[in-house]
Amino acid sequence: DIPNLAKEWLEVRLEGLKSEPTYGKSSIAILKELVKTGRMKPEEIEKRLNLSRGHILNCLNLLELYGLVEKDYDGSYKPSELLRKYQEVLGRF
């Protein structure tokens, strides 16, 4: 079996994200919503997950740093290409 390095790299980043004490859990929840919907603006995430805007923005910044989301020109966020390709990995978190 050839190791899938892209998929493994995604797992490592998700593992690191999950262990982030302040924003980890919320970030994973936001990612799951983004994968479900395809793209969302912070205010939509706020309504959907009942988190504060500031908390969401910090999570989104973290997700951007980890390369797990992309910010669009209209201010909405979408899952990175790699995350869209290997959505099943997210299901383990």
Side-chain angles (χ1 to χ4, degrees), residues 23 26-27 30 51 54-64:
Y23 302 109
S26 304
S27 295
I30 289 171
L51 298 166
H55 189 75
I56 289 167
L57 292 174
N58 283 325
C59 290
L60 289 168
N61 283 337
L62 190 62
L63 289 167
E64 267 189 293

Side-chain angles (χ1 to χ4, degrees), residues 10-91:
L10 179 63
E11 288 168 0
V12 166
R13 286 182 291 168
L14 286 168
E15 200 58 63
L17 181 67
K18 193 178 110 182
S19 64
E20 205 288 322
T22 313
Y23 302 109
K25 268 190 174 149
S26 304
S27 295
I28 297 281
I30 289 171
L31 266 187
K32 288 182 177 178
E33 281 303 313
L34 286 173
V35 167
K36 250 188 274 181
T37 58
R39 71 171 58 240
M40 288 172 95
K41 291 190 171 176
E43 50 272 21
E44 295 170 288
I45 298 169
E46 193 177 0
K47 284 184 199 128
R48 192 75 63 98
L49 296 177
N50 200 21
L51 298 166
S52 76
R53 179 74 54 93
H55 189 75
I56 289 167
L57 292 174
N58 283 325
C59 290
L60 289 168
N61 283 337
L62 190 62
L63 289 167
E64 267 189 293
L65 282 175
Y66 274 85
L68 295 168
V69 298
E70 295 160 13
K71 188 176 184 177
D72 236 334
Y73 62 92
D74 65 353
S76 65
Y77 289 81
K78 61 184 181 187
S80 69
E81 205 173 305
L82 197 62
L83 189 59
R84 291 195 297 270
K85 191 173 179 182
Y86 301 113
Q87 291 181 20
E88 74 280 357
V89 173
L90 187 56

